[in-house]
Structure formats: structure tokens, C-alpha cells
Amino acid sequence: MMHWSEIALKYNFILVVPKGYKESWNAVSCCGDALEQNIDDVGFYQLIAKDVATMYPFLMPSNANDGMLAYAMGWSNGGFMATHLAKVQSTKVQQNNEVKFRAVAPISGYNPQDIPLQPTPLFMHHSENDNLVSVAGCCTDPTSKRCCCGISDLEHICTPALTFFQQW
């Protein structure tokens, strides 16, 4: 994420890089201490968005129904969180003046149950050599290494990256 700070300065855009609880996010189905402690990371994100909108009111569109436009990106568990936020926020933006994602970019982490209700562009990265979250889905090949964080035991998450992309 350090390179993103340099890019934000060079191209004059606002970059917010929150840190999850013990380097993890509660993305409902993945992973780590934030999930185990049931941390309200959606609420945390909404507080961040509210603070950013207060500090930079020009980010809010003239049509209040559109919500503040933003992008979400995350790697691994952060990718799960980015797709989860896109789904949650697509519901909320319909209800009131919330953040609407212009695009979501999960990197080697996504939840196939978290397809947004509104069309949202997807820029998806996933390595064929990822040894923690398999591009083929965590449960598809019994001879392959199991995915991290118990994801392999969650059949509804074990979706190949291409299938997720096509469903999105």
C-alpha cells in the first residue's frame, strides 16, 4: 500500500488505508481475529466514510440519492472485505445517502455470496500460484493444499475465480 500513497500524492486523489483488527477484517466468511472477535468492520468502514465526507464535502454528489462515490481494494482477507462492503453498501445506497462504489478490486480474496445488488465494475486479480487461496476454488481438488483460515471447509465460498467473475 505504500506505493498507493505515492500515486495519490502524484495524481491528487484521496487515499484512505485503514488497518484491520490484528491485520484482519471481519468479512463474514473470512478471516482471522476480526472474524473470531465479531468486530463490526462494516460499521468501522461507515464511520471512516462519514469522516471522509465531513472532511471533504465536495466528494458528495449534488444528487443525494447517488451517495459518495468511492473505490474499494483489498488483498486476500481485504479482498473478501472489499466484495462484502460492495454488497452491503449497494443495499444501503438505495436506502439513504451512503457510499456507492465505482469499482471494487479484490486481489486473491472474494466471497461469491457478496455480489452487489447494483451493477459495480470489478477489477479482479488472482494468481494461479496463490498457495493460500486457490484460483480454482478452495475445495475443488482434494489433492491440492487446503486454503487458509478454514475457507476450505466453507463449501459456499469454494468457488473458482473465473466462476465468481462470471457471476459478478
Side-chain angles (χ1 to χ4, degrees), residues 6 25 28 49 57 70 85 93 126-127 131 168:
E6 296 167 9
W25 298 103
V28 180
L85 283 171
V93 82
H126 205 115
S127 170
N131 60 2
W168 187 279

Side-chain angles (χ1 to χ4, degrees), residues 37-158:
Q37 297 295 317
N38 198 28
I39 302 297
D40 181 10
D41 281 327
V42 170
F44 175 58
Y45 169 78
Q46 290 169 338
L47 288 173
I48 291 170
K50 183 177 178 183
D51 284 351
V52 169
T54 300
M55 288 187 285
Y56 305 102
F58 61 88
L59 293 174
M60 297 307 294
S62 57
N63 180 356
N65 292 327
D66 288 341
M68 181 173 69
L69 298 174
Y71 298 86
M73 181 182 77
W75 176 72
S76 191
N77 177 223
F80 278 86
M81 191 67 205
T83 57
H84 180 64
L85 283 171
K87 179 180 180 183
V88 170
Q89 291 305 119
S90 72
T91 303
K92 291 183 175 291
V93 82
Q94 292 175 341
Q95 297 168 355
N96 55 27
N97 196 12
E98 293 280 347
V99 172
K100 178 180 181 181
F101 289 113
R102 285 190 174 195
V104 177
I107 303 168
S108 292
Y110 53 87
N111 184 343
Q113 293 184 323
D114 282 335
I115 306 296
L117 301 176
Q118 297 179 340
T120 305
L122 176 71
F123 186 64
M124 188 171 167
H125 303 259
H126 205 115
S127 170
E128 290 182 351
N129 298 328
D130 189 321
N131 60 2
L132 296 178
V133 179
S134 172
V135 70
C138 297
C139 305
T140 57
D141 183 356
T143 63
S144 295
K145 180 181 174 186
R146 306 286 282 173
C147 289
C148 73
C149 314
I151 298 170
S152 298
D153 300 326
L154 304 171
E155 291 182 24
H156 63 283
I157 302 276
C158 301

